[in-house]
Each structure stands twice: as structure tokens, then as C-alpha cells.
């Protein structure tokens, strides 16, 4: 991929996350949401034309796009916007859409970008939650005022804003009021990540507005929704897993198995609870059922 404007090229000699941001991240990771600053510029890999080309290189399962004029709460995956993904991206300012390119690290140029960013964070991450596992990256392209409905994700996540602005409203992770235990269990067994919504939940949310040069950290399985600002935007999400996040997911699966036989299991503990017993129990069940 060629560079069309030298000013858009990523200067690899510049540290993307300033030292004060790294200190803030280390003080709050892994359980406290917070805003950060970054120096990531809109390099040639992250322009709309480049992202439209990237969409054509990714498998269908790595592409999701839909109308942007959605409510905060939806029941299951939203429908199509009637356009192709390339049309959606290239005309994002007028297509009234929301699009995400998932696992862009499948393409070498984007894997290089992801790993270079995570390398700056590695010392703080591994000092707290151990080895940084399963690095992944996602690009979000959003029309003005588009809404990403209420949902959660299984990774530790930093969302970096590159163009435009958006407000992410986050809710406390691991609190059944905002995400019932049965929803967690269903999700980790292959169910939807979208969560049931009612307006009375809003009082428990914390809004984080980010603009170019700003980012927000999202703890594992912290419910959130996102409302784009008045201009179209591009955001890059860099994510990773930890041994703890995998154990929490396995404990949720174990609880689902217990619930199916009529029990009411206690929810897994949040960090730093290890959840080893239930995690091990699920691994045993999975091994036996595959035998």
C-alpha cells in the first residue's frame, strides 16, 4: 500500500502514548475506565479509501455494518443498510451507517500497526495481568450521530479516536443490574453480545467523550454504548486478552452448565479473583464432551 501524503505516514520514531498517559493507564488497569491521550496520526492505512480496500481483503465474518440511526437498545443484530461495505465506508459522511472491520491484524500491515502500539503498553499490562494474549484490532467507521447499541466485549480494550468525535457511555463491569449473569453465560456459549436496555439504566453510566488524539479504556465485559458526534469518524480499537479474562469466560460457561441442571451459581469474581475452580471445571466438562 503506497503513501499518498507524506504527512499521513506513521512516524515510528515517535512514542504514540506519552509517558503521563502510560502512567495513568498503569494506575487504572485493568478495572477502572479512563481516558488517555495518543499521538497516532491518520496514516495511509487508516484513510477511508485504504479501509474500503481492506474490507475487500477480509473474510465476510470480519465485516459488520448496518444503519447508524439505531436506538441504544436492540434485540439481536441490526439489519442491512442496503449498501456494500465499500460503499458504506467511502460514503460514510452521507450513508447514515456504522461499520466495523474486525481482526484487521489478519493483514500484515495492520498487524504491524497493532503490535507496535501494544508494545508500548506491554510493561504495564504484563506487570498486572500477566502475558498479553490474543492481540486483536478493530476499525470503526461511523456516520454523523450514528449509534453503536448497548453491548459488551470479552477483551481488554483501548479505543483510539482518529477523526471526528464520539461519546462512549460505560457501565460498571460485573454488575448484574447492567448485564444479568444469564446474559454473560449465553454470550460465552455463543450468544449475542447485545444487551437488554431500559432507560432507567442510564443513571448508572459514565460518559467519556473522545476526539482525535484521545482514547478511552474499556474493562473486560464492561457494558457500553457509543454515540457518534456531528461529523463522521474513524476509530481504532486495540485489544488483548489475559489469563484472567479467559478464566472469567470459562467460569461463566461452567455456571451456564450448573444453571441447566437447576442450580443458581454465584457469579465469577472480578479482578483479581482467579476463578480457577470453575475455569478448571469447565475445561474438564469440555474435554469429556469432546471425547
Amino acid at each position: 500500500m503506497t503513501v499518498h501524503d507524506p504527512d499521513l505516514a506513521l512516524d515510528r520514531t515517535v512514542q504514540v502514548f506519552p509517558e503521563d498517559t502510560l502512567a495513568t493507564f498503569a494506575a487504572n488497569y485493568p478495572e477502572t475506565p479512563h481516558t488517555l491521550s495518543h499521538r497516532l496520526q491518520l496514516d495511509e492505512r487508516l484513510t477511508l479509501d485504504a479501509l474500503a480496500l481492506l474490507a475487500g481483503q477480509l473474510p465476510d465474518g470480519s465485516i459488520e455494518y448496518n444503519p447508524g440511526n439505531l436506538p441504544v437498545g436492540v434485540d439481536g443484530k441490526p439489519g442491512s443498510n442496503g449498501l456494500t461495505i465499500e460503499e458504506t465506508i467511502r460514503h460514510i459522511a452521507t450513508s447514515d451507517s456504522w461499520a466495523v472491520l474486525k481482526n484487521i491484524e489478519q493483514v500484515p500491515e495492520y498487524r504491524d500497526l497493532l503490535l507496535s502500539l501494544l508494545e508500548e503498553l506491554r510493561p504495564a499490562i504484563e506487570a498486572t495481568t500477566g502475558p498479553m494474549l490474543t492481540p486483536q484490532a478493530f476499525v470503526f467507521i461511523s456516520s454523523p450521530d450514528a449509534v453503536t447499541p448497548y453491548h459488551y466485549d470479552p477483551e481488554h480494550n483501548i479505543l483510539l479516536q482518529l477523526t471526528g468525535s464520539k461519546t462512549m457511555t460505560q457501565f460498571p463491569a460485573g454488575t448484574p443490574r447492567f448485564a444479568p449473569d444469564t446474559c454473560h453465560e449465553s454470550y460465552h456459549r455463543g450468544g449475542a453480545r447485545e444487551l437488554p436496555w431500559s432507560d432507567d439504566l442510564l443513571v448508572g453510566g459514565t460518559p467519556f467523550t473522545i476526539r482525535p488524539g484521545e482514547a478511552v479504556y474499556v474493562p473486560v465485559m464492561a457494558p457500553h454504548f457509543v454515540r457518534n458526534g456531528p461529523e463522521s469518524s474513524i476509530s481504532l480499537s486495540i485489544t488483548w486478552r489475559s489469563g484472567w479474562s479467559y478464566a472469567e469466560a470459562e467460569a461463566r460457561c461452567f455456571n451456564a452448565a450448573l444453571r441447566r441442571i437447576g442450580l443458581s451459581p454465584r457469579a465469577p469474581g472480578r479482578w483479581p479473583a482467579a476463578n480457577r475452580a470453575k475455569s478448571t471445571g469447565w475445561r474438564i466438562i469440555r474435554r469429556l464432551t469432546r471425547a
Side-chain angles (χ1 to χ4, degrees), residues 6 88 133 180-181:
T88 298
L133 308 174
D181 291 334

Side-chain angles (χ1 to χ4, degrees), residues 18-272:
E19 289 297 332
D20 59 346
T21 277
L22 293 176
T24 297
F25 174 73
N28 288 282
Y29 178 75
E31 283 289 82
T32 304
H34 56 283
T35 55
L36 304 162
S37 60
H38 68 84
R39 301 189 184 104
L40 182 62
Q41 302 299 312
L42 192 67
D43 84 349
E44 77 279 6
R45 292 165 291 189
L46 298 168
T47 62
L48 289 178
D49 283 344
L51 293 174
L53 292 173
L54 171 62
Q57 299 178 63
L58 295 172
D60 290 345
S62 295
I63 297 168
E64 181 180 345
Y65 61 108
N66 47 248
N69 56 342
L70 296 171
V72 169
V74 297
D75 183 12
K77 292 293 181 188
S80 168
N81 64 1
L83 304 172
T84 68
I85 182 60
E86 292 86 355
E87 291 170 335
T88 298
I89 292 173
R90 287 197 167 98
H91 303 289
I92 196 65
T94 57
S95 63
D96 191 15
S97 299
W98 171 90
V100 57
L101 306 181
K102 305 176 184 179
N103 299 115
I104 63 172
E105 73 281 354
Q106 296 172 89
V107 177
E109 299 96 320
Y110 292 91
R111 182 170 181 81
D112 290 345
L113 174 61
L114 168 64
L115 295 182
S116 68
L117 295 172
L118 288 180
E119 193 60 34
E120 294 185 18
L121 300 163
R122 182 185 297 276
I125 292 170
E126 296 195 341
T128 304
T129 55
M132 187 168 55
L133 308 174
T134 322
Q136 297 177 311
F138 307 79
V139 173
F140 297 89
I141 308 106
S142 308
S143 294
D145 303 312
V147 171
T148 304
Y150 188 54
H151 70 287
Y152 47 21
D153 303 292
E155 307 94 356
H156 307 276
N157 175 17
I158 295 177
L159 181 70
L160 298 88
Q161 192 68 15
L162 301 175
T163 68
S165 64
K166 58 181 48 172
T167 298
M168 175 187 286
T169 302
Q170 288 196 48
F171 299 80
T175 303
R177 176 187 171 199
F178 302 108
D181 291 334
T182 51
C183 289
H184 281 272
E185 293 160 15
S186 172
Y187 169 73
H188 286 298
R189 297 301 306 278
R193 69 184 62 217
E194 288 76 21
L195 289 163
W197 172 259
S198 64
D199 288 343
D200 61 357
L201 296 178
L202 190 59
V203 68
T206 301
F208 296 90
T209 298
I210 53 174
R211 299 173 179 84
E214 299 175 329
V216 60
Y217 172 71
V218 190
V220 170
M221 302 303 282
H224 57 280
F225 67 87
V226 182
R227 192 179 303 276
N228 209 55
E231 301 175 343
S232 56
S233 84
I234 300 173
S235 309
L236 172 66
S237 179
I238 59 173
T239 76
W240 63 96
R241 299 293 297 268
S242 61
W244 171 79
S245 76
Y246 278 118
E248 193 268 352
E250 290 165 344
R252 293 287 188 182
C253 292
F254 185 77
N255 278 0
L258 295 180
R259 204 176 298 278
R260 285 199 301 273
I261 60 174
L263 301 178
S264 299
R266 179 181 299 179
R270 293 294 298 181
W271 174 265

